Amino acid sequence: MRELLLGLRLLLGSGRGNRVRFLLMTLGSAIGVSCLAVVLTIPGILAAQDARMAARQPTCARDVQGHCTDTKGAPRELTRTDPLGSRPMTRVFIAPGTKHIQPPPGVAGLPRPGEIILSPRLHEVLHAEPGLAKLLPGRERGLIGGVGLAHPDELYAYIGVSLGDLKGADVVTLFGESYPPSPTVESSTLDIVRFTLAGVVLLPLAVFLSVCARLSAAVRVRRLAALRLLGLSTKAVQRVNAAETVVAAMLGAVLGLVIYALVNQLISRAGLPGFKWYPSDGALSSSTILVCLVGCPALAWFAGRAGARKAAANPLAVRRSAVQKPPTKWGLLPLIPGLGIVAGYCVAGATGHAPRDTQVSAILMPLAVVFIGVGLVLTLPLLSRVLAHRVGRWSGSLFLGLAMRRNEAEPGGALRVATGLVLLVYAASLVQGVLIELDQVSKHESPVQIYSIELGGVTAEQQHALESIRGIRGHAVQMTSWMDPHTDTFTPTVDAVIATCRQMHELVPNANGCVDGRPVRLMERTQPLQWDSKLGDAFAFHLRKASHGRFMHLRVPKETLRYRDWAGIPALDADVLLPPSFLPAGYRPETASLVLLSSSDPGTVRNVLDDIGGVDPTIAVDPYGINVTALQQIAVVKTLLAIGMVLGLIIGVAAYLVAATDRAMERKPQITALALLGARPGTLRAAQVAQVVVPLTVGLVLAVVTGKAAESSYLVTGGGAIFWDGKGVPLLLACALGAVAVAALGSLPLVGRRIDPELIRRD
């Protein structure tokens, strides 16, 4: 306690400069803690959204065998999820029964036939797009409360229908499952977020908090050395120094939590692109508060004790400004294994041996990223000293000689300012790799869009209406041969498409050689022509007309039609082309699907989906290549990555501003001494700029090289088609040049217009 009080007295009574440094330490800690709180609360936000989705999931009480119990008179439900642009719209059709059940969260009661209950966002969209009324039939009875929605922008609806309008519905006796049907972010995708945030936010944050804890190091070390010479013990000196840093870190932690709470209230209400949450989801948990209030002061305590070790061990050397020991080569140790892992993956990708064991890669890649990041921080002082020694020896320039000699004497001084910028450029490359992988998942470059609709439960009139929808350029029916459900032996099947040659030309880019009226084998032109074991075999197709069923038999013909399908999104997946005359009048396949084709224009796709809902809102449609759940997850991940980059930018810039301000105050006596010796202001400014820019440039080059290598290795382990990203190099170089420009401009204010000899006298 005595050392704590002594540290506080020294802080309050050691002049305005030290109080300014204390304020910088506090503000820096506040920024760092608020960024840390953001990272720690993201999993809680996602978990809260998943919990609400699970709580509204329709289900039923089950027995030991897994069968629903107490189903007599229970309601029925049918859930449909459709794309509305790039967002999923979920519709839950409910047919009430004679048995009363508890409604889902956020709803006062189940809707009756002809009534709909919408989420607030879907209510707004419905009024802005009246065409959605085809998918949402009925009059609005109310809105779904927040406890029944994953997030405020969710598109969700409960639609009341009669029991006769539901086909393939399930019994529902209660709402609530232990897990959601589709989490906000899949666990594998969440690993990507954790991996990126660790490299983009947490690593620079640890460096930033350490920088804040060691501000005014030279001044404080001299002051602590004086206390040691006055008789204070070694441990007491360390505790005195740690007291100041801990108090600043504690105040900064409290202030940072307050800043986060305010930011959470503001941003959660405004929302972010693709990601919105309720303010309560982002509220600070007890674990987050504990980590921030304990972790930040603990880091400051260890940094403060480490900073006072030199003054406590050799106070005379500190007071007499002895030459500092050169940085140890042990700083290269983390960089070597990190680069080894990254280089191994790059070589594997270049030689065509990309790894398939994702579990091992999921461990090695984050380790490599952290090792390289830590290695960059620890290696920069060593590289700075070696570079300063070489350049200072060969250069004949006065300003460059002054700058390099200062860097050689204090190799960590300038790079303490530049470390945040170096890590920022390194992190930018990692984010580029993650975005490239996500783009490979979500990219849809085909000029057409394919829709598949199961014909079970679809009447002939509805099928004709579906084929006549505005925007549909082609259609056909695909069916599968009959397989005896009562046998356990494997029975081969054949897939057939029923279409005319005109329909074939509308469905695929090229079907030259098609002749109407006779069955032919189908083979895509990009597939090698090979012997087919089904050639000449007989297959049966089960057809139905009302309640009457019959079989039609077919032998796979020898004549082959070589057609060309769409790249990336095939319209046909069939072995045989059959003419419509194959089906007797009035008969339809028992097991078949209707394939529709339109352009991939987003507006056309939206109109087609709306019109399909107009034919029957309960029809299940599968739009090939459009996984709205995956698209929503990708949008959430991209937003989280953007949050990480913004936090990384804040941390990098804040680290630079805090360290540059501290360095400006620390270097004033030396600048004043050089000015009194006759150095011109222009020479001093050039020396200050060179002192920061030269080692920073080396660090940025190393960051770009290691960052691109880490990005490429990440893409190799991701299993995508792209391993090397040449397009991202100009952006990284632009970021590096911007960092150099910022550092150069920030070095100019170190040299003022007025010379104050008092600084030298006090020093």
Side-chain angles (χ1 to χ4, degrees), residues 691-729:
Q691 186 177 335
V692 175
V693 167
V694 172
L696 174 61
T697 302
V698 176
L700 290 176
V701 170
L702 187 60
V704 170
V705 173
T706 56
K708 292 303 297 182
E711 174 194 347
S712 297
S713 63
Y714 174 78
L715 292 175
V716 168
T717 59
I722 298 177
F723 290 171
W724 323 110
D725 171 34
K727 296 180 180 179
V729 174

Side-chain angles (χ1 to χ4, degrees), residues 642-673:
I643 293 174
M645 279 304 297
V646 170
L647 294 179
L649 180 62
I650 292 174
I651 293 170
V653 174
Y656 171 76
L657 293 177
V658 170
T661 304
D662 177 64
R663 183 169 172 270
M665 300 175 66
E666 198 173 74
R667 292 277 294 139
K668 275 185 177 182
Q670 298 167 357
I671 297 296
T672 302

